[in-house]
Every structure is written in structure tokens, then in C-alpha cells.
Amino acid sequence: QVQLVESGGGLVQAGVSLRLSCAASGRTFSSYTMAWFRQAPGKEREFVAGISWRASSTHYADSVKGRFTISRDNAKNTVYLQMNSLKPEDTAVYCCAARSGSSAYYTSITDYSYWGQGTQVTVSS
């Protein structure tokens, strides 16, 4: 099975950029759909971005579309989330998720079988 470990979170000022990484184990990484979710204090976990196993399709939440970019490097078993123009409302714990399948449009937490433990992103005003 797959194990996921996120990194790259931190405390940044609004308007700057940050890149998160998700390192995955397993020889079948390239056949998994990958996604990023986030959960802010007092709110439910929400879908942020998804990417198909061949990276031919991506999907974004409206709140981040145009600012965030999801990508993957299957040779390195790594998924990235490039976050630009960060806003205070982006503050959350960001988690990487994986499931079998090739669609970028799996957006529910119940669609995913594997989860990382998350990395904290805090954006100050």
C-alpha cells in the first residue's frame, strides 16, 4: 500500500508563495490519483486540488483556482502544490491523499484510501 508524507509548510506573509511536497512510497504511485485537502480551525476538511495519474487532468477548488498549481513527478514519487498569492484564509493543515484511478475529479474525502498526516500552513496579514 501507499504511505504519504507532506512537507514544506510554514509561516508566511500574505501575497508570497509556498510549495508543498508529498512524498509517496510504493511502486504503484504512478497509477494513483493524487489530491490535496486542507482543514482550517473550526471548519471541515475541504478539497483543494486533484491530479490524474498521468497528470493529463487537474481539478481545483474555486477558492484556489488561478493561484494554486498541483503537479507530480512520478519518477520521484512526489506530488507538489505550488501556492501563489497566499491569503490569510488559506491558513490550514494541508493533507495529501491518494486513491486508485485516473480521474482528477475525485473531490470527496471518502474517495481516498491513503492519507498523509498533514503540514501546517499559516498565512499572516
Side-chain angles (χ1 to χ4, degrees):
Q1 57 182 33
V2 176
Q3 290 189 332
L4 308 172
V5 180
E6 304 94 336
S7 62
L11 173 63
V12 298
Q13 294 183 341
V16 303
S17 298
L18 196 64
R19 188 178 74 165
L20 305 182
S21 297
C22 173
S25 66
R27 304 178 74 85
T28 60
F29 170 78
S30 62
S31 66
Y32 282 79
T33 295
M34 305 295 296
W36 288 95
F37 288 76
R38 68 184 183 185
Q39 186 169 20
K43 295 185 177 181
E44 296 183 353
R45 186 177 299 176
E46 65 174 345
F47 172 83
V48 177
I51 186 168
S52 62
W53 69 276
R54 285 186 172 181
S56 59
S57 180
T58 57
H59 181 60
Y60 299 91
D62 289 341
S63 59
V64 305
K65 192 172 185 178
R67 298 188 297 119
F68 290 10
T69 301
I70 187 172
S71 62
R72 67 192 298 165
D73 186 340
N74 289 342
K76 296 181 178 180
N77 288 349
T78 302
V79 176
Y80 305 96
L81 184 67
Q82 179 67 44
M83 304 182 293
N84 298 328
S85 302
L86 282 164
K87 304 175 181 179
E89 49 263 47
D90 294 319
T91 296
V93 174
Y94 285 72
C95 296
C96 182
R99 64 156 290 155
S100 60
S102 60
S103 175
Y105 291 87
Y106 299 120
T107 61
S108 173
I109 60 173
T110 60
D111 291 327
Y112 292 85
S113 300
Y114 306 101
W115 294 84
Q117 293 187 330
T119 184
Q120 176 70 48
V121 173
T122 302
V123 184
S124 62
S125 301

